[in-house]
Amino acid sequence: MKRMKSRALILALMVLCTGTQLAFGQERLSLEQAITIALKNNYDIKLVNNDVQIAKNNVNPGNAGMLPNVEGSFSDGGSKQNITRTQSNGNQQTLDGVRNTSMSYGASLGWTIFDGLQMFTNYEKLKELQKLGEVNAKATILTTLGNVISAYYTVSKEQRLVTARDTALDISQLRLKIADNKLAIGRGSKLDVLAAKVDYNTDTSAYLQEINLLKTAKTALNQVMARDLNLDFKVEDTIDIDAALNYGTLMGQMEQLNPDLQNAFISKKIAELNLKQVKGQRYPVVGVNGGYEFQKSASPTGFNTQQRANGFTYGLTASVNIFNGFLQRQNERNAKIEISSSALLLDKTKQDITAQLVSTYQNYSTNLDLLKIEQNNVDIARQNLDITLEKYRLGSIAPLELREAQRNSIDAITRYLEAQYQAKLTEISLKEISGTLNIQ
């Protein structure tokens, strides 16, 4: 008896310490706060935002080849030589340490004014690449939102299961106390006390395991939010489920907003621009150039010992691809194949996402039906447990009946919370597929 009381005291202290930590060592974390923290800290979002910024910076006429290039140049040099030369009359002349100097500077401009419209195609392509980066960023944000919400409600589910296990433990403790009291006054049996101890220890183990699952879920949520993994917190106990999602509406939203579909559509458009760019290589490339240059040189042994020149330069260049080993035709064929592949990929992506939407919506509808059934089961099991517990206190039923009612109650609660959790997950998946997932 003393050993049993000692174990009960230790467990009570553990529960008390845990309760104290919940009360004073935890922040109350709402779903909106979790999402805000994740959007601010998440590494994947930061990386994809950097890619978007790079793509945005690349969209400019200069990067597309539409603007002129202006270069400045400067050179200054010389030489010191020993020269021996023989004149036509046979005389030989030797000069030591002859210095030659030269210096020049200037500015030049080169501008391609026509290249088969490739520069304009390049500019359109850069715009599409920016859109592609933005779509990828949206996909990353949607995935992060989904991960945060799923992880948040995992914590909520485990938090409520801990409470359910704690309640079951209280009932087992009450049963053990009643069995001890009956044995003490001679109305009970040692067998009932031992059975009550076994069930009490079983519930204690389940309670501790549930606490561990809760801590693991909190660590996972902290990881998604990219913050200190050891931070403790408490979430809301309620899980609100949107039970009014309509398949037709979701399908329309998916076709317009799904990032994967948008990605495939933009990729097809980029492939079409690639073909247009390749075809532009059939046309001539025309450019203009101009500049200003100043030159100064000195050579004591030359015909002119010093020379200076400055002035403007200008010109027009044109080139056309006449024959390059049939590469032009090959490149055009390959570009057309890429368009065909991108179109096939678009169709495949649409089919895959539609199949995902169909199956997820079926699961969503089933989970809503299961949720109603399990909620009803929880009410029935709770009433059954209350009646059975009262009868056990009065001594009109056997301990096994109480244990069975207790087991049925915790199983009903577990199934209900799991059904609620799965319904929420399918709701999140549907909104993520349709591209409408937000913090509401």
Side-chain angles (χ1 to χ4, degrees):
M1 180 66 68
K2 291 182 178 179
R3 187 177 301 173
M4 185 274 294
K5 291 182 178 179
S6 176
R7 289 180 180 174
L9 179 60
I10 292 174
L11 180 61
L13 290 174
M14 291 175 59
V15 175
L16 178 62
C17 291
T18 303
T20 302
Q21 184 182 17
L22 289 173
F24 299 103
Q26 295 179 329
E27 63 170 315
R28 173 71 69 169
L29 182 69
S30 67
L31 178 59
E32 290 77 8
Q33 290 172 331
I35 290 175
T36 300
I37 294 172
L39 293 179
K40 179 180 178 182
N41 296 340
N42 186 270
Y43 296 112
D44 291 334
I45 292 179
K46 289 182 178 180
L47 290 172
V48 77
N49 282 339
N50 287 342
D51 293 338
V52 171
Q53 188 60 48
I54 291 174
K56 184 178 180 180
N57 293 339
N58 287 338
V59 182
N60 60 79
N63 199 33
M66 301 170 69
L67 300 180
N69 294 322
V70 180
E71 294 182 355
S73 63
F74 174 83
S75 66
D76 188 12
S79 65
K80 183 179 180 182
Q81 298 176 326
N82 297 323
I83 300 175
T84 300
R85 60 188 180 186
T86 301
Q87 298 177 343
S88 59
N89 57 9
N91 295 332
Q92 192 175 62
Q93 185 181 18
T94 300
L95 301 173
D96 295 330
V98 176
R99 290 181 176 274
N100 297 316
T101 61
S102 64
M103 185 269 287
S104 67
Y105 60 84
S108 62
L109 177 147
W111 192 359
T112 300
I113 57 176
F114 180 77
D115 63 351
L117 305 179
Q118 292 183 62
M119 63 181 73
F120 299 100
T121 304
N122 273 336
Y123 192 64
E124 292 300 317
K125 185 176 177 180
L126 291 173
K127 290 181 179 179
E128 294 302 320
L129 289 173
Q130 180 185 351
K131 293 178 182 178
L132 188 63
E134 292 171 350
V135 167
N136 290 334
K138 178 184 176 181
T140 301
I141 291 173
L142 281 176
T143 300
T144 302
L145 280 176
N147 292 338
V148 171
I149 297 173
S150 298
Y152 185 89
Y153 285 118
T154 299
V155 175
S156 179
K157 181 189 72 171
E158 296 300 335
Q159 191 171 274
R160 295 165 72 185
L161 282 173
V162 167
T163 302
R165 293 290 181 184
D166 189 26
T167 302
L169 189 60
D170 290 339
I171 295 175
S172 295
Q173 190 175 23
L174 176 62
R175 174 188 163 194
L176 180 57
K177 182 179 179 181
I178 292 174
D180 281 333
N181 292 337
K182 287 183 178 181
L183 181 61
I185 63 176
R187 294 181 56 188
S189 67
K190 184 68 174 178
L191 185 61
D192 289 343
V193 174
L194 293 176
K197 285 183 180 179
V198 170
D199 292 337
Y200 177 76
N201 290 337
T202 300
D203 291 342
T204 301
S205 175
Y207 174 70
L208 295 177
Q209 290 175 10
E210 204 62 58
I211 288 179
N212 182 63
L213 291 175
L214 175 59
K215 291 180 179 179
T216 302
K218 289 181 178 181
T219 301
L221 180 53
N222 280 330
Q223 182 181 8
V224 176
M225 292 189 292
R227 66 175 191 172
D228 187 356
L229 300 178
N230 295 314
L231 284 178
D232 203 3
F233 56 90
K234 190 173 184 180
V235 302
E236 301 295 336
D237 286 333
T238 57
I239 300 180
D240 296 325
I241 299 172
D242 185 357
L245 296 181
N246 178 268
Y247 177 79
T249 302
L250 291 171
M251 175 62 76
Q253 292 170 337
M254 180 202 75
E255 293 176 349
Q256 296 294 325
L257 303 175
N258 182 272
D260 292 334
L261 268 181
Q262 291 179 335
N263 188 308
F265 179 79
I266 294 174
S267 296
K268 181 176 180 293
K269 191 169 183 179
I270 291 175
E272 293 170 350
L273 290 173
N274 284 336
L275 175 59
K276 187 177 179 181
Q277 186 177 14
V278 171
K279 286 184 175 180
Q281 296 173 5
R282 289 182 174 272
Y283 297 92
V285 177
V286 180
V288 295
N289 59 75
Y292 174 83
E293 186 177 20
F294 174 86
Q295 294 181 344
K296 178 181 179 183
S297 63
S299 177
T301 62
F303 182 77
N304 297 317
T305 59
Q306 289 187 348
Q307 179 175 320
R308 296 176 63 182
N310 66 287
F312 294 95
T313 61
Y314 56 89
L316 175 69
T317 62
S319 63
V320 63
N321 175 24
I322 299 176
F323 179 75
N324 64 348
F326 301 110
L327 291 179
Q328 178 66 31
R329 184 172 61 180
Q330 172 187 309
N331 292 337
E332 289 183 12
R333 287 176 176 176
N334 290 339
K336 291 178 181 178
I337 294 174
E338 290 179 358
I339 293 176
S340 176
S341 297
S342 62
L344 291 173
L345 181 60
L346 176 60
D347 293 338
K348 181 181 182 299
T349 302
K350 185 175 181 179
Q351 185 183 48
D352 292 344
I353 296 175
T354 302
Q356 186 179 1
L357 179 67
V358 171
S359 60
T360 304
Y361 191 81
Q362 290 172 349
N363 293 333
Y364 166 76
S365 301
T366 301
N367 288 330
L368 290 179
D369 293 335
L370 289 174
L371 183 58
K372 295 176 183 178
I373 296 173
E374 296 301 341
Q375 187 173 14
N376 187 42
N377 282 339
V378 168
D379 295 335
I380 295 173
R382 183 179 292 113
Q383 294 177 25
N384 181 54
L385 179 59
D386 291 341
I387 294 172
T388 305
L389 182 59
E390 185 62 29
K391 287 184 176 181
Y392 180 74
R393 286 173 177 169
L394 298 175
S396 60
I397 63 172
L400 289 178
E401 294 183 54
L402 174 61
R403 183 60 179 174
E404 184 65 21
Q406 184 184 11
R407 185 182 295 111
N408 289 337
S409 177
I410 191 66
D411 288 347
I413 293 174
T414 302
R415 290 196 307 270
Y416 168 69
L417 293 178
E418 184 63 25
Q420 193 178 46
Y421 176 67
Q422 291 300 327
K424 189 64 180 180
L425 288 187
T426 50
E427 176 204 327
I428 295 168
S429 296
L430 287 174
K431 291 181 177 180
E432 188 173 350
I433 294 170
S434 64
T436 59
L437 184 63
N438 51 42
I439 66 173
Q440 278 75 29

